[in-house]
Amino acid sequence: MRRPAARTGRAAEFWLLVFAALIVSSALVIVELNQSRELTWTLAAYGGGYLLALAFAHVLVRMFAPYADPVLLPLVALLNGLGLVMIYRLDLAAAGKAAAAGQQAPTAQAPAQLLWTGVALLCFLVVLVVVRDHTRLAEYPYTLLLVGLAFLAVPALLPARYSEVNGAQIWIKVPGLFSIQPAEFAKIALIVFAAAFLVSKQRVLTSAGKKVFGLVLPRARDLGPLLLALLICLGVLVRGKDLGTSLLIFGVMLAMIYLATGRVSWLIIGLLGFAAGAYLAYRLFGHVRVRVDIWLHPFADPQNTGYQLVQSLFGLGTGGIFGTGLGAGRPDIVPFASTDFISAALGEELGLVGLTAILLCYLLLGGRGMRAAMSVRDQFGSLLAGGLAFTLVFQMFIVVGGVTRLIPLTGLTTPFLSYGGSSLLANYIILALLVRISDSSRRPAAAAPRPAEDEAPLTDAPTAVVPVARGVDR
Amino acid sequence: MRRPVRNLGTAVMVLVVLLLANLTYLQVVRAGALRNDPHNSRTLLEEYSRQRGQIIAAGGVVLARSDPSNDAFRYQRKYPGGAMYQAVTGYYSSVYGATGIERAQNGILSGDDDSLLGDQLSDLLTGRDPRGGNVYLSLVPAVQKAAWDGLTANGYTGAVVAIKPQTGAILAMATTPSYDPSPLASHSEAVQRRQSAIINSSVPSPRTNRAIGAVYPPGSTFKLVVSGAALQHGYNPQSRVTGASRITLPGGGSMSNFENETCGDGDGSDVTLTTALAFSCNTAFAEVGMSIGAQAIKNQGAALGIDPDGTNVGLDVVGSRMGDMPDAAAVAQSSIGQRDVALTPLQDAVIAATIADHGTRMHPYLVQRTTRPDLSVIDSTEPVVDQQDAMPAAVADQVRDMMIESEKETPGAGQIADLVIASKTGTAEHGTDPKNTPPHAWYVAFAPAEDPQVAVAVLVENGGNGALDATGGKVAAPIGRSVIAAALSAGS
């Protein structure tokens, strides 16, 4: 049942990239027009640089991952590009404000973000070139665990002046040079570790324990990994005051355990554990309480503690259905508009319509990642792809949910959109891994013929054992 | 592990759907409330940073415009018209709100008006900033300048209103003292507050629009109203009236002519009504008023537009009044424009304009037309008749002829060769000690008498330079004549 001459999808990727580039260029032009500025060649150079980088990436994907999912890279190019446009637009607002106050304009963020985009694309390519076979990653689980934990722990252990920004102790600052947010990278290392670990322990994890209320509970001693995840998160939460990262890591670990076991009981136990942890955190830690109180009553103190969230809501409300138009709103009123609150800025200027389109891009991105997870031949790849795809969407959910007051506000960057080198780099590495896995899943099998791709009906899928139909013993 | 992956995929979808549902709630259901929340500075910023429309005088002279600026408010409101037009344009201040046309025509100027709905929709779809429409005023710059210069050249406190009699178009509306409105539209709150403090500490207050926002005893100019009433109640221009320098009023009081003179430099015997008006004899009009009665005077005054409720000419005009005139003595005093009679300068100009237009009273207006940002016309003012026969045409023409005689007896500079002006002066006592308070000086007129092109009312408070012997003829008439000259040479 080998497919004859499988389509690579590179042509589709090319045209989708052109489409993304068109949207981003139009957005940039609209900003310029709405800000009553002249279209300059400097701007064209920026745009051209971005396009050149994309073209380069496309060519290398052709060379190193010819069968990769053609939608992934264009989606990211679109998000990254829109983020760049918005950051540039906020730069203009900041410069205007400074000029009106007679001060010097603050350092523009857009050029830095463009530079980081270039570096991130390089990282993307390096990962594609170096990791020719994603299964090799499974060979170093504990090294990765150590790296991940170290990345998480270093800022927490460093003196605050080398690690604290805006109250969260999650940075590594090299004064005068750069500062990185290691959690963004730790997240990847932990996911790779989790995928390798869960695959190797799968049999143990899925063996049955007691049955209560129709749920097959896992054995107590198998709760280890989950507890470990909880502990890590609590550590991050307590020491770094980083609610977002702890929520993210916990959510992703839980999702991966579920992926590996197929057991709903794990989910329930995890969620109960989360509820207990959340309640304890609320009772024990002032900063958690403050966040929750702002979430519940943002308008109680709109000029002070509630300011960020209230301004974000005002921006979204003012934007309405169609938005004020790019460059025609006041997204700069919201603090941290280029990082945590970039979705509020986009929602204000592009409206519900534009923000919906952006959220659907994430849904597509997650969906394509899940598709790679479903069709890749090996279980490690499947777990890894599922975990990575889930991280992208879940991180976006935590940020956008916080900004729109669906859930309490926690500080995280919006993948690909927000200003921030670490975030861009890490997420482009995730993209590279997804591209790599999708390439392997779509590559026509050269050796043994694969089982039919047709999906088994849901009812056929065994529940006691994880339904691994293929590629178990590699 | 396809099923868990699929379930996780569903979970991802649920997460995104949750976000979208919440966003829809925020950006559609709650959008209005969030937008209008008092803590939302965006709405205010947006309002003050739109490209507001222009206010333009006749001939395309821009009185108020918005120039692009490089700060949080994207446009800077400017008033090239300055203090000369301030009473009409008003200002648009982020601290003090709006006044004048800026306030009255805010819907058009800001672009919020329903008549600009089409533009709003296309602005919405293109994401372009909404722009305001323009307001074209009837003011003629040359006439306005003559009025302004006349008042400010001598540092007078007062007002001038000029009206085109056949249409009611207001050609000039000046008031002094005034101030430059531009600092009040500054983007710096400190500048705004400083200018406001200066204005507030100025005496007399520059905040009052003396043309439409204050009433003054009209003095002898009110004799035009009494003349109109008398001519409809048995009198004619040749009717004999008293020429005595002093009469005794019912109830014991007395009334005398200006400087206790007999009427028309005569021997105190009877004179014609025309002579009585020409020389502004108080005793004659007191008797005429008493003979025709309070009701006749009130009816004529109301027909000429004197209304305690005021009116709107594009800006609100405070009410003018004649008082109750409860007894004969009150009627006598009211007949010479004293006691409780109080008119806005605009109202006095309307009286002159009505006589000029053969008794037809047109509704005065300031706004000629409004246009969209692309200059297509939204609304164009059609002249409106307020009262068809405020005076029968024949009576109006008789009063006009009497006014021509009056002009001949009126001193003061500015007479124009070969131009026949019909006019009436007023020198109105006021205050708690009238004999020792400089009187208000009035001059109402129109010209050319046979084919009136402009009617004007001039009021100078307290005789201008504070002289007790100030008269309407000496102080106000020269200003009125120069305004007439400007209007005629501007061809309006």
Side-chain angles (χ1 to χ4, degrees):
Chain A
M1 292 259 276
R2 284 179 58 178
R3 290 174 173 176
R7 296 161 59 94
T8 62
R10 287 314 93 197
E13 180 180 84
F14 176 78
W15 289 113
L16 284 172
L17 277 173
V18 169
F19 183 58
L22 270 180
I23 295 179
V24 173
S25 316
S26 319
L28 191 55
V29 171
I30 291 171
V31 166
E32 291 294 278
L33 293 182
N34 266 328
Q35 294 275 312
S36 312
R37 293 165 56 92
E38 309 229 329
L39 298 175
T40 57
W41 285 109
T42 330
L43 197 70
Y46 274 126
Y50 180 66
L51 292 183
L52 211 67
L54 284 182
F56 186 56
H58 173 68
V59 168
L60 281 161
V61 167
R62 270 180 190 266
M63 288 168 62
F64 293 99
Y67 292 95
D69 188 327
V71 184
L72 292 172
L73 186 61
L75 276 173
V76 168
L78 178 61
L79 290 171
N80 192 176
L82 286 179
L84 270 168
V85 170
M86 181 47 75
I87 290 163
Y88 171 72
R89 182 254 172 283
L90 290 166
D91 279 344
L92 292 183
K97 215 183 259 181
Q103 296 161 348
Q104 198 152 10
T107 318
Q109 293 184 326
Q113 179 79 345
L114 196 62
L115 186 70
W116 279 117
T117 303
V119 176
L121 269 170
L122 271 181
C123 265
F124 169 81
L125 298 173
V126 166
V127 171
L128 267 194
V129 172
V130 172
V131 184
R132 300 300 280 271
D133 176 4
H134 62 269
T135 53
R136 301 284 305 276
L137 289 173
E139 288 167 15
Y140 320 100
Y142 293 97
T143 317
L144 284 168
L145 174 65
L146 278 178
V147 169
L149 289 180
F151 270 21
L152 278 181
V154 167
L157 299 177
L158 278 176
R161 68 195 164 101
Y162 291 116
S163 65
E164 188 171 310
V165 174
N166 299 323
Q169 203 171 335
I170 51 174
W171 295 78
I172 297 177
K173 290 198 286 189
V174 179
L177 278 177
F178 62 91
S179 47
I180 63 168
Q181 237 176 328
E184 294 277 0
F185 301 100
K187 153 183 102 181
I188 305 175
L190 289 176
I191 291 170
V192 179
F193 158 74
F197 177 82
L198 289 169
V199 168
S200 69
K201 297 285 188 243
Q202 190 172 48
R203 220 168 290 275
V204 181
L205 287 171
T206 47
S207 38
K210 280 180 197 157
K211 200 169 177 177
V212 180
F213 299 125
L215 282 175
V216 183
L217 292 183
R219 291 176 304 178
R221 64 167 179 267
D222 299 332
L223 285 168
L226 191 59
L227 279 174
L228 181 68
L230 258 175
L231 278 178
I232 294 171
C233 296
L234 276 174
V236 172
L237 178 71
V238 176
R239 184 63 197 163
K241 296 186 178 173
D242 187 359
L243 274 74
T245 302
S246 61
L247 182 59
L248 177 66
I249 291 178
F250 182 75
V252 171
M253 290 304 134
L254 194 59
M256 290 182 74
I257 290 171
Y258 171 69
L259 280 185
T261 62
R263 287 281 188 80
V264 179
S265 54
W266 281 106
L267 273 186
I268 292 174
I269 290 166
L271 289 177
L272 286 176
F274 170 76
Y279 178 74
L280 271 179
Y282 179 78
R283 294 303 300 270
L284 291 178
F285 306 118
H287 66 276
V288 179
R289 237 181 346 260
V290 170
R291 294 292 176 100
V292 174
D293 288 345
I294 293 172
W295 175 55
L296 292 174
H297 312 288
F299 290 92
D301 189 4
Q303 294 300 332
N304 210 345
T305 54
Y307 186 76
Q308 294 183 15
L309 184 56
V310 163
Q311 289 304 323
S312 161
L313 296 178
F314 283 161
L316 290 165
T318 307
I321 298 177
F322 295 106
T324 59
L326 266 177
R330 298 283 177 185
D332 49 301
I333 295 178
V334 188
F336 306 111
S338 65
T339 53
D340 294 18
F341 285 88
I342 196 156
S343 49
L346 289 164
E348 177 176 351
E349 298 213 316
L350 296 176
L352 176 64
V353 173
L355 197 49
T356 300
I358 289 171
L359 296 193
L360 290 182
C361 283
Y362 282 101
L363 182 59
L364 264 178
L365 197 58
R368 300 305 285 215
M370 294 293 172
R371 206 172 103 147
M374 274 206 233
S375 51
V376 74
R377 298 175 184 85
D378 67 297
Q379 213 180 349
F380 169 73
S382 183
L383 253 182
L384 184 56
L388 293 175
F390 183 73
T391 318
L392 289 180
V393 184
F394 193 53
Q395 180 164 349
M396 181 279 290
F397 174 80
I398 292 172
V399 193
V400 179
V403 165
T404 59
R405 209 187 146 226
L406 183 63
I407 58 172
L409 184 62
T410 57
L412 270 186
T413 57
T414 317
F416 303 113
L417 282 177
S418 289
Y419 172 74
S422 308
S423 166
L424 261 189
L425 244 57
N427 286 310
Y428 264 98
I429 291 172
I430 291 178
L431 175 71
L433 292 175
L434 282 176
V435 164
R436 171 53 67 219
I437 295 169
S438 74
D439 172 63
S440 126
S441 78
R442 290 160 50 95
R443 190 187 296 270
R450 299 167 53 200
E453 281 263 12
D454 304 303
E455 291 171 16
L458 279 181
T459 43
D460 290 357
T463 45
V465 183
V466 177
V468 200
R470 56 184 187 278
V472 180
D473 36 22
R474 207 166 238 272
Chain B
M1 67 164 74
R2 309 189 76 175
R3 200 179 63 135
V5 173
R6 192 193 304 267
N7 288 346
L8 193 62
T10 310
V12 162
M13 205 177 293
V14 168
L15 291 182
V16 173
V17 166
L18 276 175
L19 286 178
L20 290 180
N22 186 46
L23 274 175
T24 308
Y25 171 70
L26 279 178
Q27 300 199 273
V28 180
V29 182
R30 290 257 292 144
L34 288 170
R35 209 171 289 155
N36 298 326
D37 191 291
H39 291 291
N40 188 354
S41 55
R42 280 178 185 76
T43 317
L44 196 73
L45 277 172
E46 190 218 16
E47 209 180 307
Y48 281 92
S49 62
R50 272 190 204 170
Q51 184 159 23
R52 203 171 159 78
Q54 300 185 333
I55 302 176
I56 302 169
V61 175
V62 175
L63 306 181
R65 65 165 194 264
S66 285
D67 290 347
S69 72
N70 213 355
D71 57 10
F73 301 92
R74 294 192 190 106
Y75 294 95
Q76 172 67 61
R77 194 70 170 157
K78 289 185 175 153
Y79 298 95
M84 194 198 295
Y85 289 91
Q86 173 280 132
V88 178
T89 59
Y91 54 75
Y92 189 69
S93 158
S94 56
V95 177
Y96 301 102
T99 61
I101 290 291
E102 289 277 33
R103 178 194 180 105
Q105 296 288 330
N106 187 42
I108 297 287
L109 291 168
S110 70
D112 279 336
D113 196 83
D114 285 346
S115 57
L116 289 162
L117 194 66
D119 301 75
Q120 290 165 13
L121 261 184
S122 75
D123 288 345
L124 190 72
L125 294 179
T126 56
R128 190 178 58 199
D129 275 352
R131 285 185 302 157
N134 301 313
V135 175
Y136 289 79
L137 301 180
S138 55
L139 297 181
V140 177
V143 185
Q144 179 78 7
K145 184 168 189 325
W148 172 257
D149 287 349
L151 289 170
T152 53
N154 297 303
Y156 292 158
T157 297
V160 174
V161 175
I163 296 178
K164 189 164 180 63
Q166 295 80 10
T167 61
I170 297 173
L171 307 176
M173 181 186 284
T175 171
T176 54
S178 186
Y179 56 88
D180 184 2
S182 289
L184 288 173
S186 166
H187 291 179
S188 155
E189 201 178 309
V191 171
Q192 287 191 36
R193 293 198 185 283
R194 198 156 51 236
Q195 173 76 348
S196 182
I198 292 171
I199 296 168
N200 286 343
S201 63
S202 298
V203 179
S205 171
R207 286 210 190 271
T208 310
N209 181 345
R210 291 175 165 76
I212 56 172
V215 291
Y216 302 87
S220 300
T221 62
F222 194 70
K223 288 169 184 165
L224 296 176
V225 176
V226 177
S227 296
L231 292 170
Q232 293 171 68
H233 285 82
Y235 285 83
N236 64 57
Q238 303 311 317
S239 298
R240 307 301 286 183
V241 295
T242 182
S245 65
R246 188 181 192 87
I247 57 168
T248 304
L249 297 179
S254 72
M255 178 176 292
S256 57
N257 284 340
F258 182 67
E259 292 183 339
N260 274 320
E261 291 165 346
T262 55
C263 192
D265 304 323
D267 55 7
S269 58
D270 286 358
V271 296
T272 63
L273 187 62
T274 300
T275 304
L277 187 79
F279 290 90
S280 203
C281 302
N282 292 341
T283 53
F285 275 88
E287 288 195 359
V288 170
M290 287 188 288
S291 81
I292 59 175
Q295 200 54 49
I297 296 171
K298 285 183 190 173
N299 288 348
Q300 179 63 83
L304 288 166
I306 300 174
D307 180 354
D309 293 334
T311 183
N312 184 290
V313 297
L315 298 174
D316 282 333
V317 181
V318 299
S320 294
R321 59 176 189 267
M322 292 176 280
D324 287 338
M325 307 186 206
D327 51 42
V331 173
Q333 287 164 341
S334 298
S335 295
I336 61 166
Q338 297 287 164
R339 200 169 166 112
D340 294 330
V341 185
L343 307 184
T344 58
L346 176 101
Q347 175 54 44
D348 229 358
V350 166
I351 291 171
T354 306
I355 296 167
D357 197 27
H358 311 292
T360 301
R361 178 160 62 91
M362 304 302 293
H363 187 77
Y365 63 88
L366 270 171
V367 177
Q368 192 71 52
R369 64 179 186 279
T370 49
T371 69
R372 297 189 179 79
D374 65 3
L375 302 186
S376 63
V377 174
I378 298 170
D379 190 30
S380 189
T381 303
E382 291 297 323
V384 173
V385 176
D386 268 347
Q387 179 101 27
Q388 189 62 55
D389 280 310
M391 267 183 202
V395 170
D397 291 351
Q398 285 173 339
V399 176
R400 174 197 65 201
D401 293 342
M402 290 159 66
M403 288 171 77
I404 294 172
E405 296 306 312
S406 173
E407 172 71 11
K408 287 176 187 165
E409 304 302 331
T410 302
Q415 275 99 346
I416 304 156
D418 300 330
L419 177 69
V420 180
I421 295 177
S423 76
K424 183 71 197 85
T425 56
T427 305
E429 294 180 344
H430 64 103
T432 48
D433 182 13
K435 297 298 167 200
N436 293 308
T437 306
H440 294 322
W442 283 93
Y443 179 75
V444 300
F446 56 87
E450 294 305 321
D451 178 23
Q453 295 302 308
V454 58
V456 62
V458 178
L459 162 84
V460 178
E461 277 188 19
N462 299 320
N465 297 327
L468 285 170
D469 63 346
T471 63
K474 279 191 279 190
V475 174
I479 300 173
R481 291 181 187 126
S482 79
V483 171
I484 287 173
L488 295 180
S489 61
S492 52

